[in-house]
């Protein structure tokens, strides 16, 4: 078992350690001040947009009756998506007649009015197509957008999930399923939740704006709730939780530097923020929304 | 003849890549296979020294890819086995003197003539590494039971996967039986659990290796040495035989000392 204390770039306040909690009771630290965080956040969004597309089609076109539908991958950052869209229309747009009405499926992406207008501009001004409407998942439907932009927005699945259930599933972003172990040097950045089917080894990092679930051993770095200032809701679950460093929102915890033997029994554990520190508890399989007051 | 191409790599320096390459190559040659080892560590060549062929170098890898000599002019025959050849690295150039495509081309020529092509990779993950892995069908990753070496091995395995090579085999070098027994050294279970690869061999830390390297005779020729036996077993596993791993916790006890004293040689290594 490898454990080490990691020096933080900013002065740290030592916070109390939790009694009776397994694993991460050692040193729990909080970043002081917001300046560093803001810097880091801009770095994050930079890296997110520079991320290359995996072998995935960002734009898919399908016919719905007489209607042509453009499905936009909701995991691709909006700036990249625009580029993909332009390229796609330039290469494959010949068969579309000028003025033809198309619909746009945005998936689970939460579109800001200005994003919507940018997409509309590409279709209507640059390629002379008409947008009949946007399709989206029910939980991200925002009527104001429709009113503000004058474009009709309708549900992708009219008999879809009811609103409270959809909220429990997650409002923004989608989940990324990583179907292999993350070895040293791997960096996964995702706007949403991340599930890793394998281990996260030392030297690898998983950074997500949502939650992180690792169906294996976490020995590297995991950062959940990455660009939220208040990420008390975010959590990290791993079958074997032995990270070098845990980060949830603006909290950083390092592993205790004891040279003790590994615990005899290894249970899945959940790490989350409680009372200004990261607290680790055994994960019994039932997720409770607010288990720690 | 369609030879198999292996790259011996580690990420970290100082774990014994040239030693492993030389011994695996010599081990296979002792089994009667036609083997060529290629040193791609341009500028910091070592493999020729380990094999004791330093004074026979006329042409090298860079001469071959630049067309300054014929391929067989750069191939140096081993002193101890007739079936082993070496293409040495250039010492006066750097890694950028060779391109991955040139390595692939070289491999295609050598495949006709040799059953095994073993490429010794330089430390690091830069140009030299890319050159070395470009031509390989499979990889052998060498590590030592140290956290830093294992971390680098993990990174390298990830890069090999990204280069679409099959999952590499692992050789753990410099194991110290005494330290494992006391729990002071990572044992093979911990290492394999972290790296999740197949184990190809366990090589004990052995004074014979240092002596052998300085003499330029690969330790695999020494029938009394534990590490030599380990490399002989690795060679047989590469050939598809199912040989048990050496039990490193024994072999230094009273009995082995007694055996040595009585003069029994070789073949008496205990299995794990």
């Amino acid at each position: 078992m490898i454990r080490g204390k990691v020096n933080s770039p900013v002065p740290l306040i030592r916070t109390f350690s939790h009694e009776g909690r397994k694993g991460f009771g050692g040193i729990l630290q909080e970043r002081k001040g917001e300046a560093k965080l803001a810097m880091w956040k801009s770095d994050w969004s930079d890296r997110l947009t520079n991320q290359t597309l995996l072998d995935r089609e960002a734009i898919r076109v399908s016919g719905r009756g007489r209607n042509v539908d453009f499905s936009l991958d909701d995991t691709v950052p909006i700036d990249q998506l625009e580029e993909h869209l332009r390229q796609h229309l330039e290469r494959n747009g010949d068969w579309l007649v000028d003025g033809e009405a198309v619909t746009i499926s945005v998936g689970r992406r939460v579109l800001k009015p200005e994003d919507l207008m940018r997409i509309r501009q590409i279709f209507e001004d640059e390629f002379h197509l008409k947008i009949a409407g946007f399709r989206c998942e029910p939980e991200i439907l925002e009527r104001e957008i429709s009113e503000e932009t004058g474009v009709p927005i309708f549900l992708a699945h009219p008999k879809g999930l009811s609103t409270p259930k959809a909220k429990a599933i997650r409002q923004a972003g989608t989940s990324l399923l990583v179907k292999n172990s993350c070895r040293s040097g791997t960096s996964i950045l995702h706007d949403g939740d991340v599930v890793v089917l394998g281990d996260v080894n030392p030297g690898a990092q998983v950074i997500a704006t949502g939650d992180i679930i690792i169906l294996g051993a976490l020995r590297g770095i995991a950062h959940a709730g990455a660009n939220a200032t208040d990420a008390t809701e975010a959590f990290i679950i791993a079958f074997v939780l032995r990270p070098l460093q845990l980060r949830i929102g603006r909290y950083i915890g390092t592993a205790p530097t004891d040279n003790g033997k590994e615990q005899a029994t290894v249970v899945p554990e959940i790490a989350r923020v409680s009372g200004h520190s990261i607290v680790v508890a055994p994960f019994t399989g039932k997720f409770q929304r607010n288990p720690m007051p | 003849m369609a030879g198999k191409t292996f790259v011996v790599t580690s990420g970290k320096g100082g774990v014994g890549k040239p030693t492993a390459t030389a011994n695996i190559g010599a081990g296979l040659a002792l089994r009667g296979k036609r083997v060529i080892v290629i040193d791609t560590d341009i500028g910091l060549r070592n493999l020729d020294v380990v094999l004791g062929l330093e004074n026979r170098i006329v042409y090298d890898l860079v001469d071959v890819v630049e067309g300054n000599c014929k391929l067989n002019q750069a191939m140096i025959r081993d002193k101890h086995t007739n079936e082993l050849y070496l293409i040495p690295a250039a010492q006066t150039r750097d890694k950028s003197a060779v391109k991955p495509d040139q390595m692939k081309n070289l491999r295609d020529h050598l495949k006709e003539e040799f059953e095994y092509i073993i490429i010794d990779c330089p430390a690091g993950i830069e140009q030299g590494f890319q050159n070395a892995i470009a031509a390989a069908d499979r990889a052998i990753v060498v590590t030592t039971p140290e956290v830093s070496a294992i971390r680098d091995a993990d990174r390298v395995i990830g890069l090999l996967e990204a280069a679409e090579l099959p999952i590499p085999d692992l050789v753990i070098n410099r194991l110290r039986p005494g330290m494992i027994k006391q729990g002071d050294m990572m044992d093979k279970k911990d290492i394999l659990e972290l790296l999740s690869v197949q184990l190809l061999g366990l090589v004990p830390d052995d004074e014979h290796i240092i002596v052998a390297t300085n003499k330029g005779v690969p330790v695999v020729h020494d029938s009394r040495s534990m590490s030599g036996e380990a490399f002989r077993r690795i060679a047989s596993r590469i050939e598809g035989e199912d040989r048990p791993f050496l039990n490193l916790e024994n072999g230094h006890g009273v009995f082995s000392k007694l055996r040595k004293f009585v003069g029994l040689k070789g073949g008496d290594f205990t299995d794990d």
Side-chain angles (χ1 to χ4, degrees):
Chain A
M1 182 52 219
I2 312 139
R3 286 177 186 197
K5 193 178 161 186
V6 182
N7 291 324
S8 175
V10 283
L12 297 163
I13 311 167
R14 238 183 119 133
T15 58
F16 60 94
S17 65
H18 263 253
E19 289 173 86
R21 306 286 187 199
K22 273 184 178 177
F24 245 70
I27 307 149
L28 296 164
Q29 297 158 335
E30 186 181 353
R31 285 193 196 208
K32 198 179 181 184
E34 294 294 310
K36 192 75 192 174
L37 186 71
M39 241 176 77
W40 192 80
K41 263 170 78 179
S42 67
D43 184 31
W44 149 265
S45 60
D46 253 19
R47 281 191 285 176
L48 201 66
T49 45
N50 288 337
Q51 215 180 343
T52 49
L53 250 192
L54 302 169
D55 304 329
R56 207 162 6 101
E57 280 292 320
I59 319 281
R60 280 191 311 273
V61 184
S62 58
R64 291 181 185 228
R66 284 182 60 83
N67 189 2
V68 178
D69 182 71
F70 282 77
S71 178
L72 312 182
D73 191 321
D74 52 15
T75 60
V76 181
I78 187 82
D79 298 341
Q80 259 184 41
L81 195 69
E82 280 180 33
E83 267 317 295
H84 282 294
L85 203 53
R86 279 203 187 89
Q87 280 173 18
H88 188 95
L89 286 169
E90 260 161 35
R91 263 187 283 129
N92 313 319
D94 299 345
W95 57 278
L96 289 161
V97 191
D98 272 10
E100 189 159 332
V102 297
T103 56
I104 318 287
S105 294
V106 297
R108 286 171 174 275
R109 185 195 297 277
V110 182
L111 282 172
K112 292 190 219 85
E114 56 265 32
D115 296 338
L116 215 115
M117 292 311 285
R118 273 154 79 189
I119 292 177
R120 195 177 170 192
Q121 237 169 22
I122 294 174
F123 275 94
E124 300 196 340
D125 298 351
E126 292 178 34
F127 293 94
H128 312 294
L129 299 165
K130 191 170 161 34
I131 292 182
F134 285 86
R135 288 171 201 277
C136 66
E137 297 294 326
E139 68 268 21
I140 62 158
L141 184 69
E142 283 181 44
R143 301 220 169 269
E144 308 92 83
I145 288 185
S146 187
E147 281 159 24
E148 218 174 291
T149 56
V151 181
I153 294 183
F154 32 83
L155 297 181
H157 313 287
K159 286 176 192 167
L161 302 162
S162 63
T163 316
K165 210 174 172 187
K167 266 216 171 105
I169 287 170
R170 175 158 290 279
Q171 285 213 328
T174 49
S175 295
L176 177 71
L177 187 61
V178 181
K179 289 185 184 171
N180 48 10
S181 285
C182 302
R183 294 186 181 277
S184 174
T186 314
S187 175
I188 291 174
L189 294 160
H190 181 65
D191 188 4
D193 303 333
V194 174
V195 180
V196 180
L197 302 179
D199 299 342
V200 176
N201 282 356
Q205 56 175 7
V206 177
I207 299 172
T209 53
D211 306 316
I212 297 172
I213 296 163
I214 293 155
L215 305 179
L218 170 61
R219 296 190 180 93
I221 291 172
H223 189 171
N227 62 354
T229 41
D230 177 40
T232 46
E233 291 275 294
F235 60 83
I236 297 167
I237 294 175
F239 282 179
V240 182
L241 195 73
R242 298 285 180 276
L244 291 172
Q245 203 185 81
L246 268 187
R247 304 179 192 163
I248 297 177
R250 64 196 175 94
Y251 298 95
I252 299 181
T254 57
T257 47
D258 60 344
N259 295 319
K261 289 277 157 203
E262 214 163 315
Q263 287 162 343
T265 52
V266 178
V267 294
E269 287 178 307
I270 178 167
R272 60 205 314 181
V273 172
S274 173
H276 296 292
S277 57
I278 298 172
V279 171
V280 174
F283 180 64
T284 53
K286 262 193 188 135
F287 182 74
Q288 290 170 302
R289 202 131 266 283
N290 292 310
M292 302 159 202
Chain B
M1 203 183 289
K4 293 175 189 158
T5 316
F6 289 87
V7 60
V8 178
T9 183
S10 70
K12 188 176 177 294
V15 298
K17 280 180 300 296
T19 312
T21 310
N23 280 293
I24 292 170
L28 287 164
L30 280 174
R31 300 172 65 86
K33 302 291 168 192
R34 275 181 74 77
V35 185
I36 186 154
V37 290
I38 307 173
D39 191 353
T40 59
D41 200 350
I42 302 165
L44 290 166
R45 72 179 175 207
N46 272 324
L47 191 54
D48 51 322
V49 181
V50 178
L51 285 166
L53 300 171
E54 199 180 6
N55 55 1
R56 301 192 185 187
I57 296 172
V58 180
Y59 295 108
D60 55 47
L61 180 64
V62 175
D63 289 323
V64 173
V65 300
E66 289 184 350
N68 299 336
C69 69
K70 285 184 192 144
L71 177 55
N72 57 10
Q73 285 180 300
M75 299 188 324
I76 305 167
R77 184 192 290 227
D78 184 39
K79 284 191 282 196
H80 308 282
T81 44
N82 288 336
E83 304 295 324
L84 180 65
Y85 289 82
L86 163 75
I87 296 181
Q91 187 68 330
T92 53
R93 302 287 292 272
D94 61 49
K95 307 287 191 278
S96 61
V98 175
K99 302 271 178 305
D101 282 345
Q102 293 171 322
M103 287 300 293
K104 284 183 193 162
N105 198 3
L106 177 64
R107 170 205 56 197
D108 292 342
H109 281 95
L110 292 172
K111 264 193 169 177
E112 314 268 304
E113 210 182 317
F114 290 93
E115 283 161 280
Y116 289 100
I117 302 162
I118 303 174
I119 301 165
D120 182 28
C121 177
I125 53 173
E126 294 81 22
Q127 175 82 45
F129 173 79
Q130 300 299 342
N131 286 340
I133 67 163
D137 307 323
R138 292 194 66 90
I140 296 169
V141 173
V142 183
T143 189
T144 57
E146 289 162 86
V147 173
S148 53
I150 290 160
R151 196 69 60 86
D152 289 359
D154 188 46
R155 176 93 169 101
V156 159
I157 294 166
L159 291 171
L160 291 167
E161 280 172 4
E164 289 173 0
L165 261 74
I167 296 170
D169 295 313
L170 187 74
V171 171
I172 307 176
N173 199 3
R174 302 224 178 104
L175 279 163
R176 290 201 192 181
M179 288 184 77
I180 297 171
K181 221 172 186 175
Q182 288 165 24
D184 291 334
M185 194 176 249
M186 290 181 85
D187 70 355
K188 73 170 188 210
K189 187 178 142 279
D190 296 342
I191 298 170
L192 291 175
E193 198 178 283
L194 184 81
L195 298 179
S196 54
V197 290
Q198 282 282 319
L199 186 63
L200 179 66
L202 298 173
V203 183
D205 198 13
D206 188 349
E207 289 160 13
H208 289 97
I209 289 201
I210 301 168
V211 178
T213 303
N214 292 347
K215 276 203 244 162
V217 185
V219 74
V220 74
H221 293 292
D222 182 352
S223 59
R224 279 172 305 173
S225 114
M226 278 268 274
S227 50
E229 173 65 14
F231 279 117
R232 281 193 291 277
R233 291 192 183 195
I234 289 171
S236 57
R237 284 186 205 109
I238 289 173
E239 292 249 89
E241 285 175 29
D242 188 16
R243 295 285 299 274
F245 292 100
L246 279 176
N247 184 353
L248 301 178
E249 273 154 43
N250 296 324
H252 283 270
V254 182
F255 279 106
S256 71
K257 278 191 186 134
L258 194 68
R259 268 198 298 259
K260 241 180 219 168
F261 182 73
V262 177
L264 279 173
K265 289 166 75 186
D268 55 352
F269 298 97
T270 49
D271 298 333
D272 192 3

